[in-house]
Structure formats: C-alpha cells, structure tokens
Amino acid sequence: MMRTQVGIIGAGPAGLMLSHLLHLEGIESVIIERSEQDHVRSRLRAGVLEQGTIEMMREVGLAERIDRLALEQHALDFRFNNRSHRLDFHEASGGRSAWAYPQHEVVADLMRVREEAGAQILYDSPVSRIEGLEGDRPVIHFESEGKQHALSCDFVAGCDGFRGISRTAIPSHKLALYDRVYPFGWLGILADAPPAIQDITWGCHADGFAMMSIRTPEVTRLYLQCEPDDSPDNWSDDRIWAELHKRLDVDGQPPINEGRITQKGVTAMRSFICEPMRFGRMFLAGDAAHIVPPTGAKGLNSAMADIKVLGRSLVEHYKRNDQRWLDNYSDTCLERMWLVQRFSAGLCTMVHQFPGDSDFQRRMQLAELNYMTGTHEGRAAFAHNFTGLPVHA
Ligand code: APR
C-alpha cells in the first residue's frame, strides 16, 4: 500500500495550493485527481482575486506571472437608473485592490511549481472510497489504469469540489447542510473585444443583471442573468449583444464593445455551506465545503482562505506537535465563511431580478444600491468585503 503524510483528494486550486504549502514546510503529500491533467488545466472558471489571495500567491513564490499578467482593479461601476455609480473600493478600503487573474492561470502556476518539485499528483484516478477516518490511519481507495490502489495517510484533505466524494463519506447525521438555490442562472460569455472601460461593470437592470469585466486587454468576460435551466443554444450572438447593451449601457459612458464570441455556457447559482468542515482525520476545504453564487467573486478566494488555515494547522501539528489549530480549523473557517456567504448572498439578492418580485421589492433593491454606492459607510462595507476579509492564520 502507498503511504504519505497528507492524502489530498482533488487537484483544483485548493488541493494544489495545499500540497505546495506543505512541500515548502517539508511535509509530504500525494494528490489524487479524478480527471486528466489537461482537463483540469483548461477549465475556465473564476477570474477575480482578492488582495489576500494575491499576497498569498506572492508569499509562496508565485509572484512572477502575477506581476506580469494580473490586472489591478480599483473600482466597480454599478449601473442602475440609466446612470453610472462608480464605487472606488481601493480608496474606500484604504488602498486594497482586486485583481483580474483567471483561475486557470492560478492552476497553471501551481501545477508548474508542483511539477518542478517532483510532486506526486495522480491524474485520471477517481477516489471510490475513504475508510478509517475516525481511526489513526485513514486509507483512500482509488482506481488508476484499470487497477484498484490504496493510499494510507495521517490526514485526508477533501479538496474535491462540490460534487466530490469526501463530504459524502461523512455520516449524514454528523453534518448540517445549509442550501439556497436561486431561481436564475448566469450565461457566461467570452468575447474577443477590448473592454470598453477598465472597471468591473455591473448592470442592475429591471430586465435582469449583466456584468462586464476585463479578462485581458483584448478579451472581455461578460455575464447575463438567464433562466436557471437555460441553454446557450437559446442565445444567438445578436440576442446576447442586444441584452448586454440594454442592461449595461448608460448615459455618459461608452457603450460596451462587441467582438467575436469564443465561448458561452450557463452556470447555476447557489449558496451552500456544510458544518462542520471536519470529520475525524479528514478536513474539507473549498467547494467541497461551501459554494457561493458568483456575484462577489468569492469561490476561489474562499478556497484559498481555507487552505491558508489548513496549511498552518498541519504545520503546527507536524512541526510543533500542537493540535489546537487542527481542532479549531472548522470553526475558524466557518466563522469567516458565513460572513462571505452573507456578502455573496446579499449582493446576489440586491442585483438580480427574482421572478414574481413586486415593485416594492424593486424599490428596495434600488435603495440598497443607492446606500451602498452613495454613502461613505456603504462604500466602506462593500470595499472591506470585496477586497477580502482577513484570514486568521
Ligand atoms: N476523486 C478524485 N478527484 C475528484 C473526485 C474524486 N472522487 N471528485 C472530484 N474530484 C476532483 C475534480 O475533478 C476537481 O479537479 O476535485 C477537484 C476539485 O476542484 P474544484 O472543483 O476546482 O474545487 P476547489 O479546488 O475547491 O476550487 C475552488 O471555487 O467557486 C469555485 O471557481 C472556483 O473552482 C473554484 C473553486
């Protein structure tokens, strides 16, 4: 049987970052990943990093490409009532920023340093069973090249995303699950068009939400609120551009730029959190433990926050024989995560149109938007959350 100190399930950003952090401290790990490497590397997902995530990447030796490619963002342009309401979160947070740097670049950076260090990452190897989590030596069972294998470890890190196996390996009576599914989705669009302005732009329109953000100076990422079970086939290019112009263009600002659409897909929206984030010797991190609606760009950043705490907790265990960090891991992460859920769900509710909403609710949304963009206190609260709450690790 194979053996390691920390067995990590999933080679998404959470699993890769954890194995890198542990390696820097001389702690051994093996990552077991269901999909092939090219599939993991090319998945297009989130694109905005908090200040704290950028600092973490820099601290662990991943500054070079970030310094070259990440685009610093200082403001979010909220558009409603046919006007632009620019919220300068850099100023309102006392100098903190957000950064446009796509998740697949984070994954590429982490894969490169892990490969250079000779890491053991087993791709195309789905985990089928985890046993002994309440004992001293849990065992991860997985399949690779048509054969069954087993990995014995001190700890298991469940970094296998929302549809992974690790959370389901916990007896259901030991878990509390909190879930909200939203009655709409996002049609995500990638277009070969320079963004009309550099700021992230949100259209909070009575016909539905829309968003525009810079991916690179030549490529724009765009989103449109759509039906939860919508198909991209329902959205011709002409329909997409017409809706984007209607929801995003306002007086006094340049209209969005059109270009060749290179990708479109529908994302469902949910808020989900599982308590606790630990069972015996297994620790859940990232999407395996929580999901946020993409409004607010907190998915990847929350995964990195968990990993910072988990990395520190395992270092305290191995280096100083101190169990307190591991014992507190779930509470530490959940306390922050509920605040992130509050922010993400609050924004999501503020800017989308819900089926059956009354005119009173629409007016409440506009009042919320006016308070957030038009008062010092509203701007400060948004900026504090958007640029990233502190991580206690
Ligand atoms: N065995 C092995 N690997 C598995 C299994 C399994 N049974 N089930 C899932 N996995 C793998 C998936 O193939 C995937 O590569 O676990 C990985 C989980 O990665 P992500 O879904 O990217 O999750 P995470 O690392 O937590 O990343 C944070 O937050 O909001 C999002 O966009 C954000 O994807 C990002 C995520």
Side-chain angles (χ1 to χ4, degrees), residues 3 12 16 31 85 98 103 109 157 173 184 198 240 245 249 264 300-301 316 345 372:
R3 169 157 174 57
L16 288 165
I31 305 184
H85 307 252
Q103 179 171 324
D109 289 343
H173 67 277
F184 42 76
Q198 299 301 302
I240 288 174
H245 281 298
D249 291 352
K264 50 185 178 181
L300 172 60
N301 292 298
E316 292 296 326
M372 192 175 68

Side-chain angles (χ1 to χ4, degrees), residues 242-281:
E243 280 301 313
L244 286 167
H245 281 298
K246 182 172 73 181
R247 300 183 197 183
L248 283 163
D249 291 352
V250 289
D251 288 348
Q253 294 293 332
I256 53 160
N257 286 330
E258 297 187 19
R260 191 171 64 95
I261 292 176
T262 55
Q263 206 198 321
K264 50 185 178 181
V266 173
T267 318
M269 310 270 272
R270 77 188 312 145
S271 299
F272 168 83
I273 189 159
C274 122
E275 286 188 348
M277 288 168 59
R278 173 188 189 168
F279 176 65
R281 287 186 162 252

Side-chain angles (χ1 to χ4, degrees), residues 52-323:
T53 306
I54 285 280
E55 283 165 9
M56 181 178 178
M57 301 269 295
R58 289 197 173 124
E59 278 161 22
V60 300
L62 299 172
E64 196 264 318
R65 288 178 78 245
I66 289 220
D67 288 343
R68 201 152 40 85
L69 298 173
L71 300 167
E72 189 170 359
Q73 307 276 293
H74 282 185
L76 203 152
D77 186 353
F78 289 91
R79 296 183 171 179
F80 53 95
N81 286 344
N82 197 23
R83 272 189 44 215
S84 151
H85 307 252
R86 186 171 186 270
L87 196 163
D88 186 333
F89 53 76
H90 185 70
E91 183 190 296
S93 64
R96 292 168 67 76
S97 304
W99 308 75
Y101 192 69
Q103 179 171 324
H104 63 265
E105 300 289 4
V106 175
V107 167
D109 289 343
L110 286 165
M111 279 183 175
R112 183 175 40 79
V113 286
R114 291 286 46 229
E115 274 161 25
E116 283 166 10
Q120 259 195 291
I121 308 180
L122 310 175
Y123 291 99
D124 209 2
S125 302
V127 170
S128 52
R129 194 158 55 87
I130 315 163
E131 68 178 16
L133 287 171
E134 290 181 285
D136 286 345
R137 297 219 53 80
V139 177
I140 301 172
H141 295 269
F142 62 99
E143 195 188 302
S144 187
E145 294 174 346
K147 294 202 190 83
Q148 295 299 321
H149 301 265
L151 171 69
S152 155
C153 37
D154 300 339
F155 297 103
V156 176
C159 302
D160 49 351
F162 182 60
R163 298 187 195 288
I165 195 169
S166 56
R167 192 179 62 249
T168 63
I170 305 175
S172 54
H173 67 277
K174 300 274 186 187
L175 284 182
L177 306 179
Y178 302 88
D179 208 2
R180 175 191 282 178
V181 177
Y182 297 89
F184 42 76
W186 270 13
L187 178 72
I189 301 136
L190 213 53
D192 286 339
I197 62 165
Q198 299 301 302
D199 296 338
I200 305 163
T201 305
W202 286 17
C204 312
H205 194 272
D207 287 350
F209 177 73
M211 172 172 156
M212 182 203 81
S213 68
I214 187 167
R215 213 353 106 91
T216 71
E218 295 81 35
V219 176
T220 315
R221 187 78 170 129
L222 298 138
Y223 294 100
L224 280 168
Q225 176 178 349
C226 63
E227 297 298 318
D229 52 358
D230 225 333
S231 160
D233 300 338
N234 296 334
W235 290 85
S236 67
D237 290 6
D238 286 348
R239 183 179 174 208
I240 288 174
W241 292 116
E243 280 301 313
L244 286 167
H245 281 298
K246 182 172 73 181
R247 300 183 197 183
L248 283 163
D249 291 352
V250 289
D251 288 348
Q253 294 293 332
I256 53 160
N257 286 330
E258 297 187 19
R260 191 171 64 95
I261 292 176
T262 55
Q263 206 198 321
K264 50 185 178 181
V266 173
T267 318
M269 310 270 272
R270 77 188 312 145
S271 299
F272 168 83
I273 189 159
C274 122
E275 286 188 348
M277 288 168 59
R278 173 188 189 168
F279 176 65
R281 287 186 162 252
M282 178 167 74
F283 297 85
L284 303 181
D287 280 14
H290 40 70
I291 293 287
V292 284
T295 342
K298 294 298 177 203
L300 172 60
N301 292 298
S302 303
M304 291 304 182
D306 289 348
I307 293 304
K308 193 165 183 194
V309 180
L310 185 53
R312 172 77 192 268
S313 305
L314 290 164
V315 168
E316 292 296 326
H317 165 82
Y318 282 111
K319 293 287 173 75
R320 284 175 274 283
N321 201 21
D322 183 347
Q323 310 312 312

